[in-house]
Amino acid sequence: MGRYNFRPQRVYQATTQLLSTGRLTAPPSWYNIVGNVPPPQILVRTQPIEHHRRSRTKKPSKLFQPQNITYPEDKLRREFFGDHPWELARPRVVLENDGKDAQTEDWSQIRQPGRPLDGESVVRRQAWLMENVPKISKAGAYDQARREFYEERLQEDVERRVAKEEALATGAYFGKSMLEVGMELEDREYERWREWASKEVTEAKQRQAAMYTGVDNSSMTISADDPETIAGMEDFEEDSIPAQGQESLGGMPVKP
């Protein structure tokens, strides 16, 4: 048989013989399935259907790899979300297109009933303009769709702001804003750091006093309300507070 191994193709026939001779009491779970849907007998792999002309420099090892399926809207979508990356952070309603959008949606306007306004609306609107408006360039369609998107998004923000003001006027309570929550967390972290810095200054003064007096520092106690401790705290804060965006931890160098 050469270098080809045909035994996997004869598994069904071999199992049938074992069942007929009684060496197998019950057929395997795959026996009926393989009998109804037998494996192919062709040992040569067929090349996948090419959607575009294959380049001559393609390696033979990549002959049987399927080609990427691309659509004209992919470039428009990549351009829009590249200019507006924060649109990807907005909550989205995942809707599967059934291929019949042309029957239910009219992209002659960017606002569609029952569909939220998002980046996909800009892509669909731009594609409609490029296809239906004569003598319009890709950049011109993109600018027009983007301008309409900005106007609609501004209208949504105004309506949301007015609705919140009306609700507050009637006694509604929305809780703390994200800015207030962030300020509270920052104040809490600063108080924790201040307590840690006060303890570090106190221990540093105790060690420094023990070096010159020869007294064990475990018997010395310095109150955090001591004027010298408070002054040391202020100097310590000025020297050890890091720049904005860095972790607020540090130490005071102790000189013998």
Side-chain angles (χ1 to χ4, degrees):
M1 293 190 303
R3 59 190 180 91
Y4 295 103
N5 186 7
F6 296 96
R7 285 182 296 178
Q9 291 187 345
R10 301 194 181 97
V11 172
Y12 183 78
Q13 290 79 1
T15 306
T16 303
Q17 294 178 2
L18 293 176
L19 289 172
S20 60
T21 57
R23 298 184 63 179
L24 287 179
T25 57
S29 57
W30 51 264
Y31 182 77
N32 295 329
I33 300 175
V34 174
N36 296 330
V37 187
Q41 302 296 326
I42 301 176
L43 301 180
V44 180
R45 294 180 60 184
T46 59
Q47 295 186 13
I49 300 176
E50 296 185 355
H51 305 283
H52 53 82
R53 183 177 298 179
R54 178 169 53 89
S55 62
R56 297 181 180 178
T57 59
K58 191 172 183 179
K59 296 181 179 179
S61 60
K62 297 183 179 181
L63 269 175
F64 301 101
Q65 291 184 357
Q67 295 181 350
N68 296 328
I69 300 176
T70 58
Y71 297 93
E73 291 84 359
D74 293 341
K75 295 182 179 179
L76 308 180
R77 193 176 291 110
R78 190 180 302 112
E79 181 181 4
F80 175 80
F81 287 108
D83 297 337
H84 308 79
W86 285 104
E87 284 296 323
L88 296 173
R90 289 180 175 268
R92 296 184 59 188
V93 178
V94 181
L95 298 175
E96 293 185 0
N97 300 327
D98 55 358
K100 300 180 181 179
D101 296 340
Q103 302 177 6
T104 58
E105 298 176 352
D106 181 18
W107 289 107
S108 60
Q109 55 184 0
I110 194 170
R111 176 68 69 176
Q112 299 296 320
R115 187 186 184 97
L117 184 68
D118 54 4
E120 191 66 22
S121 302
V122 179
V123 175
R124 298 294 183 86
R125 174 62 174 162
Q126 182 183 1
W128 187 91
L129 290 172
M130 294 173 59
E131 184 177 355
N132 295 273
V133 178
K135 297 182 180 180
I136 188 171
S137 62
K138 177 182 176 182
Y142 179 63
D143 292 339
Q144 182 175 345
R146 187 175 52 178
R147 182 171 60 253
E148 296 175 0
F149 173 74
Y150 293 159
E151 293 176 354
E152 293 292 337
R153 184 55 59 82
L154 178 61
Q155 183 67 25
E156 287 183 353
D157 294 340
V158 172
E159 293 177 357
R160 191 182 303 110
R161 191 181 308 114
V162 171
K164 182 177 181 181
E165 292 178 357
E166 291 178 352
L168 290 174
T170 56
Y173 178 72
F174 294 96
K176 299 178 181 178
S177 63
M178 297 299 295
L179 182 61
E180 294 175 350
V181 172
M183 292 297 295
E184 289 184 358
L185 293 176
E186 185 177 350
D187 294 341
R188 190 185 308 169
E189 185 67 20
Y190 175 76
E191 293 298 332
R192 187 193 64 82
W193 174 85
R194 187 180 181 85
E195 182 180 356
W196 170 83
S198 176
K199 186 183 298 184
E200 290 291 325
V201 170
T202 302
E203 293 178 358
K205 283 186 172 294
Q206 290 177 355
R207 289 193 297 267
Q208 186 175 6
M211 290 178 186
Y212 294 101
T213 58
V215 182
D216 186 10
N217 57 359
S218 60
S219 61
M220 299 179 59
T221 57
I222 299 179
S223 175
D225 298 333
D226 186 65
E228 296 182 358
T229 304
I230 296 175
M233 271 285 299
E234 294 177 354
D235 298 339
F236 183 75
E237 290 179 2
E238 295 178 358
D239 296 338
S240 61
I241 291 180
Q244 185 178 2
Q246 298 179 355
E247 187 178 1
S248 56
L249 292 178
M252 180 178 179
V254 179
K255 298 180 181 180

